[in-house]
């Protein structure tokens, strides 16, 4: 396989040792977590004079860690946007809303390694001098919420969260907040509105959360997986982290792979893995020995790639951008040769139509119209001109809204049509018919 | 001074301003829906998109980068920006739809979206004719629609509260109404419910939208989604003419427009005056117009053995003069009125003085607890301050009763008030005393005791001045015609009045619903003349000119100075 002849930037993933989800039984329990070195990173930053809060941020910056929530923004850089400490409150929000179709990796952390997330939160709070973190988890994860609440209670009892953590004088609370079931609550500004008890309408930016966030105070929002990387960076150093996987998008990453593969699931590997390795080696290939047709690399909003577009493409922002897609959440959807791309797109457009918060015009109206059109095509009632209209509507939505949901709704439409145009055309009613016997009544002779 | 370039034209600016507001202030129209100067900026309608660029600075030197011709290099934001939310910055370069096809196209695209699920029922919509959606769709929207699906259906004819109706299908989700209740009236009675294309504003469960300012959302709603229960389907906007004036349901003197069709007031809407009511009106001010239309008297009357009988104005004046001549002036009680204009009260005071009577008094109508520190006041009259400033003081009820008992009151002259309803006298107490009454409505209880009844022009039929609770003198203008007033004497009352769009629809010479009444500044001189005191004024403007010259508390309050927004008078200290 090409994977071995240097094309993958992920190093030898076959011998990779898991660090986010290490194979330790009952790691979710505080005692087990501690037996395996848990909370040493926190203790180190809180007690070792070397770890000024600023130094923690610098270390995270140096590690090259990029957000795992979808946008892939440098985490250390984001932290450095927080204004200098003054007498105002400051907040951290840990984003566990995980609602993008095809994405189910944060749940794995919440279930198997929640203390890594808590420890990451506490270190991040220390680095930014924050005393309150809200861990916002989608309401559907009820079981995982109560599971984490149990563990959090133990942490409070042990003095690892709350007042005077580990006797160091540093205090931080963690509040687990249960969402009420809307995808839009995962958008960071909307998450803050939701926390404030308001309707989850995303805010216009600027101002950015670091200037005016939760309740108007400086706030940083990070994904669950992003924060879980932080203790690892402290324990092993920025250089160690930066050396894992793709050079400009390094680190371990949880690939949530679903669709027509033999072994779907969440896999921890370095970034920068060949998509083909993930499908054929990690997931045991396509179900039933079928041929691959399409891959959506990072959650339903990232542009779909045709099988012939993924050769040599690796899972990191740069390689995927070149290929015409994005890393997103690394929630990969794999589709085999029997997949009906029209029907696939219909399902995707339905999702974004259902989840648009309805605040801004192009998204509120456009998402429904997209679904209408794709549905009509799927049902064999579409016209060829509908395809051009769909692309037009994408242009009318992209980049013209308050938040990125409209983009997330438009990209799959644009790229699925562009990359599978014949399939869509074949589903549309012909615009010209052969004349003569058997031609439908409305037939227009081809000229 | 910092500068911004808009469509190639350079403008100076001072202080912070949003780009959209700056454009509007400079006569550059930009289509928009959700932006309102008094509300927070959600930038949700996405209609006001423009291209925005900034000069590029050299990273090292911090100097502006320049083109070969010396002009600064401008870098445009990759995305179109909502002008309502963009802060002006020095050197900013803006392209609107006038110079950018991209912007024009984006505005058109957005209107196409706004209309796909809109019911397009303009022919039966009260907002049609002054609807921002309708107007901007014509100006900036696409010619047709490419939408070929069933529209989304939402609740219609929903009574949000006693005074406001919702048609959710017309709603474009601009959130102006919910922001009003959150940020301005702070009643928090409205919120958007549901999600996505099914969104619409609603009250929380088991509550009504009944706050005292609820009807403001009807004006700020940029479509016909919110309508006033009171005004629905009564009159199209182009059938009415609007006249700038003030409301008189309380002492605030909020600025308003009276909307009139065929000499009937159909509705009252706020008129912006940042010094008084900003953009708003309380519901009580808006609903205070039926008394201008209903229960109006039909000409003057005098009492005979057969009760009150209609007479000519001359006969009525004769009778009033005869009654006053027959008694000792010191025993005539003149009652001014906090409902009447400064001009009318002034003439009454002049008359009392000419006859040698005591200065008039007025009846206060104060309802403790009614005021809210905003646009509603405890005082339910519009001109108590005007009276006080003329030296017309509140009547002392106990003193009046004592004088009555002593037979010290031989005649009562009432300017536009109802002393019987106010409890100053009973009708029986007045039975044997001559009473001259100027009255607005036939429901006036003092009519039962009146010997001469002179129908008076209301605030929408006269010209005059009111002084609000904060000492602001403001003018009113005739919004509807009355019988028997020489129109040419009524300054600024032309032969025709144009409606908002220049159509002379409501004509002054339309005879329908003209009330046979007269403003005090016509009827008071009529009475005075017969008592040998000629008041030589050409009209209310001249009267006010004299008041401003002779009464120090009115210094500066000329018609010119008052204009459309009034003048603040010097403080005169404590008043009731
Ligand atoms: C519509 C929408 C939904 C989103 N949902 C999530 C989500 O469920 N979880 C998440 O971590 N980020 C989500 N994001 C991204 C967040 O806005 C934000 O970028 C992220 O939480 C930042 O964390 P990171 O820098 O650690 O990636 C969403 C963004 C959009 C536009
Ligand atoms: S883009 Fe869509 S989801 Fe985002 S704020 Fe606008 S309407 Fe809401
Ligand atoms: S009802 Fe009117 S004001 Fe309220 S959100 Fe809808 S369009 Fe805007
Ligand atoms: S006016 Fe609505 S987005 Fe600017």
């Amino acid at each position: 396989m090409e994977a071995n002849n240097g094309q993958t930037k992920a190093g030898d993933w076959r011998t990779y040792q898991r660090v986010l989800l290490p194979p330790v039984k009952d790691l979710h329990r505080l005692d087990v977590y501690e037996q395996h070195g848990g909370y040493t990173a926190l203790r180190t930053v809180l007690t070792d004079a070397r770890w000024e809060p600023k130094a923690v941020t610098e270390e995270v910056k140096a590690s090259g860690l990029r957000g795992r929530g979808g946008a892939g923004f440098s985490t250390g850089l984001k932290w450095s946007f927080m204004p200098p400490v003054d007498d105002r409150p400051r907040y951290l929000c840990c984003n566990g809303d995980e609602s993008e179709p095809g994405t189910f990796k944060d749940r794995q952390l919440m279930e198997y390694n929640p203390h890594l997330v808590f420890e990451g939160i506490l270190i991040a709070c220390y680095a930014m001098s924050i005393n309150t973190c809200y861990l916002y988890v989608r309401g559907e994860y009820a079981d995982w919420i109560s599971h984490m609440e149990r563990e959090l209670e133990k942490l409070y009892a042990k003095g690892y969260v709350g007042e005077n953590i580990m006797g160091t004088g540093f205090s931080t609370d963690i509040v687990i907040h249960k969402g009420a079931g809307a995808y839009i609550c995962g958008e960071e500004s909307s998450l803050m509105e939701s926390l404030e008890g308001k309707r989850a309408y995303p805010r216009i930016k600027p101002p950015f959360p670091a200037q005016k966030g939760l309740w108007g105070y400086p706030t940083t929002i990070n994904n669950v997986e992003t924060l879980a990387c932080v203790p690892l960076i402290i324990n092993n150093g920025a250089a160690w982290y930066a050396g894992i996987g793709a050079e400009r998008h390094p680190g371990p990453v949880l690939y949530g792979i679903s669709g027509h593969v033999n072994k779907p699931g969440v896999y921890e590997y370095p970034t920068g893995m060949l998509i083909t390795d993930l499908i054929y080696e990690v997931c045991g290939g396509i179900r039933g020995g079928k041929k691959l047709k399409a891959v959506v690399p990072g959650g339903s909003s990232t542009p779909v790639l045709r099988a012939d577009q993924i050769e040599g493409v690796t899972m990191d922002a740069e390689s995927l951008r070149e290929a015409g897609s994005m890393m997103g959440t690394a929630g990969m959807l794999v589709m085999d040769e029997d997949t009906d791309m029209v029907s696939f797109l219909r399902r995707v457009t339905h999702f974004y139509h259902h989840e648009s918060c309805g605040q801004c015009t192009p998204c509120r109206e456009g998402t429904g119209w997209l679904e209408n059109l794709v549905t009509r095509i799927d049902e064999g009632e579409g016209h060829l001109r509908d395809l051009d209209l769909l692309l037009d509507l994408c242009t009318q939505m992209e980049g013209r809204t308050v938040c990125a949901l409209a983009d997330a709704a438009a990209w799959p439409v644009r790229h699925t049509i562009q990359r599978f145009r014949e399939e869509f055309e074949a589903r549309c009613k012909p615009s010209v018919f052969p004349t003569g016997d058997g031609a439908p009544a409305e037939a227009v002779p081809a000229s | 001074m910092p500068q911004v370039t808009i469509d190639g034209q350079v403008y100076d600016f001072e202080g912070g301003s949003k780009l959209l507001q700056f454009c509007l202030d400079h006569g550059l129209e930009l289509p928009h829906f959700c932006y309102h100067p008094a509300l927070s900026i959600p930038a949700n309608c996405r209609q006001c998109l423009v291209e925005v660029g900034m000069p590029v600075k050299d990273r090292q030197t911090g100097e502006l980068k320049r083109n070969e011709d010396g002009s600064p290099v401008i870098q445009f934001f990759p995305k179109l920006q909502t002008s309502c939310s963009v802060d002006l910055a020095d050197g900013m370069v803006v392209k609107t739809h006038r110079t950018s096809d991209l912007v024009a196209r984006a505005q058109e695209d957005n209107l196409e979206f706004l209309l796909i699920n809109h019911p397009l029922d303009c022919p039966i919509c009260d907002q049609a004719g002054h609807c921002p959606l309708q107007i901007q769709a014509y100006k900036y929207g696409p010619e047709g629609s490419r939408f070929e699906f069933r529209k989304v259906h939402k609740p219609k004819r929903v009574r949000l509260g006693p005074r406001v109706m919702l048609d959710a299908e017309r709603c474009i989700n601009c959130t102006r109404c919910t922001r009003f209740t959150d940020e301005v009236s702070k009643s928090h009675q409205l919120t958007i419910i549901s999600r996505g294309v099914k969104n619409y504003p609603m009250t929380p469960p088991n509550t009504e939208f009944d706050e005292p300012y609820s009807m403001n959302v009807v004006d700020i709603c940029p479509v016909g989604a919110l309508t006033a229960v009171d005004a629905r389907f009564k009159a199209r906007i182009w059938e009415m003419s609007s006249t700038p004036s003030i409301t008189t349901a309380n002492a605030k003197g909020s600025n308003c427009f009276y909307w009139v069709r065929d000499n009937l007031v159909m509705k009252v809407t706020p008129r912006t005056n940042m010094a008084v009511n900003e953009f708003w009106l309380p519901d009580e001010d808006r609903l205070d117009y039926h008394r201008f239309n209903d229960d109006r008297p039909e000409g003057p009357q005098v009492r005979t053995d057969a009760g009150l009988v209609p007479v000519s104005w001359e006969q009525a004046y004769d009778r009033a003069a005869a009654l006053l001549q027959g008694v000792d002036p010191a025993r005539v009680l003149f009652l001014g009125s906090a409902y009447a204009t400064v001009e009318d009260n002034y003439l009454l005071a002049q008359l009392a003085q000419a006859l040698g009577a005591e200065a008039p008094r007025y009846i206060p109508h104060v309802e403790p607890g009614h005021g809210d520190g905003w646009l509603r006041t405890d005082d339910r009259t519009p001109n108590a301050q005007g009276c006080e400033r003329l030296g017309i003081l509140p009547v002392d009820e106990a003193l009046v009763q004592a004088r009555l008992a002593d037979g010290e009151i031989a005649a009562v002259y009432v300017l536009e008030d109802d002393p019987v309803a106010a409890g100053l006298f009973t009708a029986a107490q007045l039975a044997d005393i001559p009473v001259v009454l100027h009255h607005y409505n036939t429901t006036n209880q003092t009519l039962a005791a009146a010997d001469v009844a002179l129908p008076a022009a209301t605030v929408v039929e006269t010209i005059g001045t009111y002084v609000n609770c904060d000492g602001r003198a403001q003018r009113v203008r005739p919004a509807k015609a009355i019988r028997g007033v020489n129109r040419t004497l009524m300054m600024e009352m032309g032969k025709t009045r144009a409606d908002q769009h220049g159509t002379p629809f409501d004509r002054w010479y339309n005879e329908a619903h003209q009330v046979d009444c007269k403003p005090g500044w016509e009827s008071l001189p009529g009475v005075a003349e017969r008592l040998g005191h000629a008041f030589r004024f050409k009209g209310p403007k001249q009267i006010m000119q004299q008041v401003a010259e002779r009464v120090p508390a009115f210094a500066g309050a000329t018609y010119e100075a008052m204009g459309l927004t009034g003048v603040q008078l010097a403080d005169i200290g404590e008043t009731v």
Side-chain angles (χ1 to χ4, degrees):
Chain A
M1 281 289 294
E2 285 86 12
N4 292 332
N5 61 20
Q7 277 207 25
T8 172
K9 299 166 194 149
D12 192 357
W13 58 265
R14 278 166 233 268
T15 57
Y16 173 77
Q17 303 280 317
R18 278 144 54 187
V19 288
L20 287 168
L21 294 171
V24 175
K25 191 168 180 304
D26 287 338
L27 188 59
H28 68 273
R29 283 176 24 202
L30 177 55
D31 51 339
V32 179
Y33 183 72
E34 285 206 270
Q35 280 159 25
H36 287 81
Y39 291 104
T40 45
L42 176 65
R43 196 179 299 275
T44 310
V45 298
L46 290 186
T47 52
D48 187 337
R50 179 171 98 78
W51 292 108
E52 284 283 297
K54 233 186 149 147
V56 178
T57 304
E58 286 308 316
E59 191 74 8
V60 171
K61 208 188 271 180
S63 76
L65 168 61
R66 291 168 69 164
R68 302 290 194 246
F73 192 81
S74 159
T75 304
L77 193 58
K78 190 188 269 190
W79 292 6
S80 69
F81 293 157
M82 287 292 274
V85 177
D86 52 23
D87 53 3
R88 292 177 301 165
R90 304 149 75 85
Y91 298 101
L92 175 69
C93 296
C94 178
N95 192 342
D97 194 52
E98 189 156 74
S99 310
E100 170 99 342
T103 308
F104 43 90
K105 44 96 180 173
D106 294 339
R107 188 184 69 194
Q108 218 70 3
L109 281 166
M110 298 182 208
E111 178 163 349
Y112 295 105
N113 207 356
H115 285 289
L116 187 65
V117 178
F118 290 139
E119 193 177 357
I121 287 174
L122 293 167
I123 296 170
C125 285
Y126 172 76
M128 292 176 276
S129 307
I130 289 169
N131 305 117
T132 313
C133 170
Y134 289 93
L135 171 52
Y136 191 106
V137 186
R138 65 181 305 196
E140 291 88 338
Y141 283 180
D143 290 349
W144 292 275
I145 290 171
S146 34
H147 167 77
M148 283 192 293
E149 275 170 347
R150 265 195 310 276
E151 292 305 314
L152 183 58
E153 241 168 67
K154 293 187 207 162
L155 276 185
Y156 266 103
K158 201 148 186 207
Y160 285 9
V161 183
E163 290 291 311
N164 194 15
I165 295 171
M166 297 176 173
T168 60
F170 178 68
S171 306
T172 288
D173 282 309
I174 298 179
V175 181
I176 299 178
H177 184 95
K178 190 170 162 183
Y183 168 62
I184 194 60
C185 294
E187 196 279 339
E188 56 187 26
S189 59
S190 157
L191 181 147
M192 294 188 291
E193 290 283 300
S194 171
L195 277 175
E196 290 178 12
K198 301 188 195 135
R199 222 183 132 67
Y201 271 173
R203 301 176 183 169
I204 49 169
K205 289 142 227 149
F208 293 96
Q211 287 125 37
K212 212 163 173 273
L214 191 58
W215 287 297
Y217 297 121
T219 303
T220 294
I221 299 104
N222 278 126
N223 173 256
V224 164
E225 186 186 341
T226 310
L227 290 172
C229 289
V230 172
L232 306 174
I233 294 169
I234 299 298
N235 282 333
N236 304 298
W240 165 83
Y241 190 91
I244 300 173
E247 194 185 330
R248 289 162 69 191
H249 197 160
V253 64
L254 299 178
Y255 296 104
I257 305 176
S258 61
H260 303 147
V261 288
N262 281 314
K263 293 188 288 177
V266 174
Y267 296 95
E268 179 188 336
Y269 281 110
T271 57
M273 272 188 61
L274 282 170
I275 295 179
T276 44
D277 277 3
L278 282 166
I279 296 173
Y280 295 106
E281 308 279 319
V282 175
C283 292
I286 308 288
R287 204 178 53 182
K290 300 263 182 186
K291 280 207 299 217
L292 178 70
K293 181 172 190 176
V295 177
V296 176
S300 59
S301 62
T302 55
V304 63
L305 293 170
R306 277 195 319 264
D308 62 347
Q309 291 177 298
I310 64 162
E311 215 41 55
V313 176
T314 56
M315 287 295 283
D316 55 90
E318 280 64 35
S319 175
L320 281 164
R321 178 167 355 100
E322 244 170 77
S325 189
M326 286 176 288
M327 176 84 161
T329 60
M332 186 188 290
L333 290 94
V334 180
M335 290 173 269
D336 72 13
E337 57 188 326
D338 296 339
T339 313
D340 177 345
M341 295 311 285
V342 181
S343 166
F344 157 75
L345 186 61
R346 177 177 176 176
R347 191 63 190 75
V348 172
T349 55
H350 173 72
F351 174 80
Y352 290 105
H353 177 200
H354 189 255
E355 296 298 336
S356 164
C357 81
Q359 179 181 204
C360 36
T361 306
C363 175
R364 178 182 66 242
E365 307 293 339
T367 50
W369 198 353
L370 292 180
E371 188 191 354
N372 280 329
L373 284 162
V374 177
T375 302
R376 174 156 95 180
I377 295 167
D378 190 36
E379 287 172 354
E381 296 297 318
H383 305 282
L384 280 174
R385 62 180 151 83
D386 290 349
L387 297 177
D388 293 330
L389 178 54
L390 279 165
L391 297 179
D392 251 11
L393 296 182
C394 291
T395 307
Q396 293 178 210
M397 294 166 67
E398 286 161 0
R400 295 189 188 169
T401 52
V402 170
C403 86
L405 189 142
D407 300 326
W411 290 330
V413 173
R414 176 181 296 289
H415 293 104
T416 311
I417 292 178
Q418 275 174 355
R419 291 172 185 168
F420 296 90
R421 178 112 191 175
E422 311 83 82
E423 200 173 328
F424 281 83
E425 285 184 358
R427 273 292 247 299
C428 292
K429 288 205 265 190
S431 54
V432 281
F433 294 90
T435 46
D437 294 345
E442 71 268 35
V444 178
S447 54
Chain B
M1 194 178 289
Q3 290 184 326
V4 51
T5 307
I6 304 171
D7 293 333
Q9 170 108 19
V10 180
Y11 299 84
D12 291 339
F13 70 92
E14 250 177 317
S17 170
K18 296 291 179 190
L19 175 56
L20 172 61
Q21 187 63 55
F22 185 81
C23 287
L24 298 177
D25 291 345
H26 289 77
L28 298 169
E29 186 180 275
L30 283 177
H32 65 280
F33 295 104
C34 66
Y35 176 79
H36 188 285
L39 303 173
S40 62
I41 299 175
N44 62 27
C45 76
R46 315 306 291 178
Q47 188 58 50
C48 64
L49 295 171
V50 292
E51 282 189 71
V52 177
M54 286 301 292
V56 190
K57 280 191 181 140
D58 189 295
R59 283 241 175 130
Q60 261 97 54
T61 62
E63 297 276 300
L64 285 187
K65 282 199 193 165
R66 299 204 175 263
N67 294 314
E68 287 189 357
D69 63 359
S71 60
V73 176
I74 301 297
Q75 188 170 16
F76 281 85
F77 285 99
K79 293 178 183 177
L80 296 177
Q81 303 289 308
T82 46
S83 56
C84 63
S85 63
V86 168
D87 287 303
L88 290 183
D90 192 20
M92 182 179 274
V93 176
V94 179
K95 292 187 198 165
T96 74
H97 55 277
R98 294 171 186 82
T99 52
S100 161
D101 289 341
L102 184 66
V103 172
R105 175 68 209 272
Q107 292 175 354
E108 184 178 319
D109 292 346
N110 205 59
L111 277 157
E112 180 180 36
F113 277 140
L114 277 173
L115 294 177
I116 63 172
N117 283 307
H118 192 81
L120 304 177
D121 55 349
C122 312
I124 56 153
C125 178
D126 280 301
Q127 188 84 336
H130 63 154
C131 174
L133 180 60
Q134 190 184 42
I135 293 165
Q136 298 184 108
Y138 273 110
K139 272 183 144 167
Y140 305 100
E143 271 180 30
S145 176
R146 298 173 290 176
F147 187 74
E148 300 168 330
F149 300 91
R150 242 180 115 95
K151 288 180 190 268
V152 173
H153 288 297
K154 294 196 270 188
K156 297 178 90 74
R157 292 179 296 280
V158 183
R159 235 182 147 107
L160 291 178
R163 298 176 290 278
V164 179
M165 286 281 251
L166 168 72
D167 180 329
E169 289 186 346
R170 291 178 186 157
C171 169
I172 58 166
N173 274 292
C174 71
T175 67
R176 277 183 173 190
C177 55
T178 59
R179 280 178 285 141
F180 174 82
T181 58
D182 282 342
E183 299 164 16
V184 180
S185 70
K186 302 204 167 70
S187 73
H188 306 286
Q189 284 182 335
L190 291 179
T191 183
I192 301 284
I193 63 160
S194 199
R195 189 167 70 208
V197 79
K198 300 195 189 88
N199 277 356
Y200 58 91
M202 189 39 65
T203 53
N206 306 317
T207 57
E208 270 205 304
F209 182 42
D210 58 359
E211 57 147 297
Y213 292 85
S214 67
M215 294 167 78
N216 286 295
V217 300
V218 174
D219 313 312
I220 58 173
C221 178
V223 292
L226 297 170
T227 48
V229 171
D230 175 68
R232 276 161 61 85
F233 305 130
K234 298 250 173 73
R236 309 315 304 255
I237 200 76
W238 56 87
E239 298 173 343
M240 296 181 279
S241 48
S242 66
T243 306
S245 188
I246 64 164
T247 59
T248 54
N250 47 52
K252 192 69 190 183
S254 291
N255 289 208
C256 74
F257 287 110
Y258 287 109
W259 294 83
V260 170
R261 182 182 66 188
D262 292 345
N263 295 313
L264 291 177
V265 180
M266 307 305 294
K267 66 172 181 175
V268 187
T269 59
R271 181 165 63 88
T272 304
N273 185 338
M274 297 316 280
V276 183
N277 54 313
E278 299 179 335
F279 308 93
W280 321 114
L281 271 192
D283 292 359
E284 68 182 26
D285 292 31
R286 294 168 188 267
L287 297 174
D288 179 46
Y289 67 84
H290 296 281
R291 63 190 175 90
F292 306 137
N293 302 336
D294 304 336
D295 302 318
R296 297 304 302 279
E298 290 168 31
Q301 293 171 305
V302 298
R303 187 165 300 280
T304 67
D305 294 343
L308 286 173
V309 295
V311 292
S312 71
W313 283 94
E314 282 67 28
Q315 288 170 314
Y317 296 153
D318 287 345
R319 179 66 179 277
L323 288 177
L324 290 175
Q325 240 151 9
V327 295
D328 172 5
R331 292 166 64 207
V332 181
L333 176 65
F334 282 93
L335 288 174
S337 168
Y339 295 120
T341 62
V342 170
E343 289 82 341
D344 292 356
N345 277 296
Y346 179 71
L347 290 186
L348 185 76
Q350 295 289 97
L351 177 61
Q353 196 184 23
L355 294 177
E358 264 185 41
R361 298 279 175 148
Y362 77 95
I363 307 174
H365 296 271
V366 176
E367 206 181 304
H370 182 79
D372 57 8
W374 188 19
L375 300 181
R376 300 188 307 150
T377 57
D378 285 354
D379 185 356
R380 304 303 307 270
T381 63
N383 205 21
Q385 269 255 355
C387 290
E388 305 257 346
R389 284 171 184 265
L390 285 170
I392 299 177
L393 301 178
V395 68
D396 183 338
E397 282 184 43
L399 189 67
V400 167
Q401 280 298 329
R403 288 182 59 188
L404 196 65
D406 294 347
E408 283 296 303
I409 295 179
V412 180
Y413 195 107
V414 185
L415 184 65
E416 291 142 9
D417 208 327
D418 188 348
V420 170
L424 190 60
F425 311 106
T426 62
Q429 284 176 320
L430 293 177
D432 297 328
I433 300 173
V435 176
V436 179
L437 174 70
H438 294 255
H439 65 304
Y440 292 133
N441 292 96
T442 54
T443 48
N444 190 313
Q445 294 178 29
T446 309
L447 269 177
D451 293 285
V452 180
L454 301 167
T458 59
V459 64
V460 295
E461 295 153 333
T462 191
I463 297 174
T465 306
Y466 287 82
V467 184
N468 82 353
C469 55
D470 304 317
R472 192 176 191 83
Q474 308 189 96
R475 284 200 44 203
V476 300
R477 295 166 175 74
K480 60 191 281 251
I482 51 179
R483 233 169 267 280
V485 164
N486 184 341
R487 263 199 315 269
T488 50
L489 280 184
M490 288 278 231
M491 294 153 304
E492 68 201 273
M493 216 186 200
K495 282 243 155 113
T496 65
R497 283 174 311 170
D499 71 1
Q500 270 207 320
H501 310 289
T503 316
F505 190 91
D506 186 50
R507 291 159 201 274
W508 284 110
Y509 44 79
N510 185 337
E511 291 287 313
H513 308 298
Q514 286 190 9
V515 178
D516 190 0
C517 63
K518 281 187 195 295
W521 46 263
E522 277 239 340
S523 51
L524 281 166
V527 176
E529 195 184 346
R530 284 162 177 77
L531 289 166
H533 302 286
F535 290 158
R536 303 204 184 285
F537 294 106
K538 274 204 203 122
K541 179 177 177 175
Q542 253 199 345
I543 302 174
M544 201 58 209
Q545 187 79 32
Q546 190 175 92
V547 174
E549 281 162 14
R550 294 198 186 162
V551 186
F554 283 95
T558 61
Y559 277 22
E560 287 79 9
M562 283 186 275
L564 281 166
T565 53
V567 288
Q568 189 65 38
L569 300 178
D571 217 348
I572 55 158
E574 278 293 296
T575 56
V576 277

